[in-house]
Amino acid sequence: MISANDLSPAELAALLHFHADAGVEWLLEEEAIDRFAEFEAMKAARRPATQAQQQRPVAGESLTPKERSVPGERQTPPRPGTASLRSAAPAERAASGPQPAIPDGEAVQQARFAAESARSLSELKTAIEAFNGCNLKHSARSTIFASGDAESGIMVIGSAPGAEDDREGVPFSGKSGQLFDKMLAAIGLTRSAILLTQVIPWRPPGNRAPSAAEMDICRPFIERQIALAEPKAILLLGNFSARFFFGENDTIHGLRGRWKGIAVADCVIPAIASLHPQDLLTAPVNKRLAWNDLLAFQAKLKSLSLLRN
């Protein structure tokens, strides 16, 4: 194992960034501990006790059925349905593993009930913060909720919080947030002049893609945000958010730049997708595509009298 004292400042910074991107954000011990060796030692210590317990007869059953039987006496088979739990193989019981506290289907129902019960964005924020049915919440530091002007009629929806968002508790933080602010300014908007939110309110560990179950659980919350805000136009940023709302599996390059309707409650809201600021930081050559999408979004806002000429 390489000591941190042997690393140069640049190497140490690169290592810390690697761990941060992987979802490791703090250390629990001052010295590194070999958990694998610790686990093997624990297994070895438990093995003799486990073997002795398996060999020890259960009270009242010190003799096998064959030893208890009297020669010539007929053995009575056990009645159906009376098998003891001891007859189940321990390996089979262990293979099933611990069951989740809230099954996914029940969590979706709870999320839908909590979302529909909210009569305002503030009530919805409280409901999301109190909701514990999504595993993403247990690994995230912050719950990211909508911010900005809910009365503007303009809504921008990102995908899921990143590491910077989770640390700051604000959507579109860090370098991607700085680029996002420049994108808004280029078409005459600011964060305070729009309603900004994300599809998933909690950061997935290591910035992985949310699972299908996690998306189903979070869907009632984002749809309720849209229903309560009643935007006149929506800008979707990123591949995930575009697929989430458009119901297609194409890449962002195939989904961007085209207006489509998002059906929420009893309304159909026009929406256009574009590249996420993080995508533009990774591949700056795509900025021209995002600029065309922003111009289309600006033109729509002007036609709806949501943006001054």
Side-chain angles (χ1 to χ4, degrees):
M1 182 176 295
I2 300 175
S3 172
N5 296 327
D6 299 331
L7 299 176
S8 67
E11 291 173 333
L12 183 59
L15 180 61
L16 292 174
H17 280 295
F18 169 79
H19 285 307
D21 292 339
V24 179
E25 298 174 351
W26 59 82
L27 298 178
L28 301 181
E29 303 287 348
E30 294 183 359
E31 299 292 335
I33 298 176
D34 191 342
R35 299 296 184 187
F36 293 101
E38 210 175 56
F39 178 68
E40 292 298 330
M42 292 172 59
K43 285 202 305 183
R46 287 198 305 265
R47 191 174 296 117
T50 303
Q51 292 175 348
Q53 183 178 8
Q54 291 176 347
Q55 294 173 359
R56 186 173 63 249
V58 181
E61 294 186 1
S62 57
L63 299 178
T64 64
K66 183 176 180 180
E67 293 169 332
R68 289 197 303 267
S69 63
V70 178
E73 182 179 71
R74 181 180 179 182
Q75 298 297 315
T76 304
R79 290 175 296 172
T82 60
S84 169
L85 290 176
R86 291 192 299 270
S87 63
E92 293 178 358
R93 295 199 300 271
S96 62
Q99 296 300 316
I102 303 178
D104 294 336
E106 184 177 342
V108 172
Q109 294 179 1
Q110 291 184 7
R112 187 176 296 116
F113 176 79
E116 293 175 353
S117 299
R119 292 294 176 261
S120 65
L121 287 173
S122 61
E123 289 184 8
L124 182 59
K125 179 182 180 182
T126 301
I128 294 176
E129 291 174 342
F131 182 76
N132 292 313
C134 184
N135 289 332
L136 293 178
K137 182 179 182 180
H138 306 308
S139 60
R141 180 180 299 181
S142 304
T143 297
I144 308 299
F145 190 72
S147 62
D149 185 3
E151 304 296 329
S152 65
I154 306 170
M155 196 168 191
V156 179
I157 305 177
S159 300
E164 291 289 344
D165 303 342
D166 193 36
R167 278 191 286 269
E168 300 296 330
V170 178
F172 290 92
S173 299
K175 291 184 178 179
S176 63
Q178 295 172 8
L179 179 56
F180 174 69
D181 291 338
K182 293 178 180 178
M183 294 167 64
L184 289 179
I187 57 173
L189 292 173
T190 62
R191 285 180 183 245
S192 60
I194 64 172
L195 186 64
L196 178 61
T197 190
Q198 306 209 25
V199 175
I200 306 295
W202 303 288
R203 180 201 177 198
N207 293 338
R208 66 166 173 78
S211 67
E214 292 163 350
M215 288 189 288
D216 290 340
I217 294 171
C218 294
R219 181 177 291 276
F221 294 129
I222 184 61
E223 289 185 346
R224 189 58 177 165
Q225 288 184 58
I226 297 174
L228 291 171
E230 298 181 339
K232 301 297 187 296
I234 296 177
L235 174 63
L236 304 174
L237 294 178
N239 191 66
F240 175 79
S241 58
R243 288 181 173 182
F244 183 89
F245 284 105
F246 292 162
E248 300 180 28
N249 293 323
D250 204 349
T251 66
I252 187 60
H253 291 277
L255 297 173
R256 53 156 293 274
R258 292 179 290 145
W259 285 98
K260 297 185 179 183
I262 294 179
V264 176
D266 297 328
C267 301
V268 177
I269 304 168
I272 189 172
S274 187
L275 290 94
H276 194 280
Q278 187 60 47
D279 299 333
L280 303 179
L281 291 175
T282 305
V285 69
N286 290 325
K287 287 184 178 180
R288 59 183 181 83
L289 301 177
W291 175 239
N292 290 334
D293 300 336
L294 290 174
L295 290 178
F297 188 62
Q298 181 188 48
K300 172 68 75 172
L301 297 181
K302 289 181 178 179
S303 68
L304 297 172
S305 301
L306 299 174
L307 188 64
R308 294 179 180 178
N309 294 317

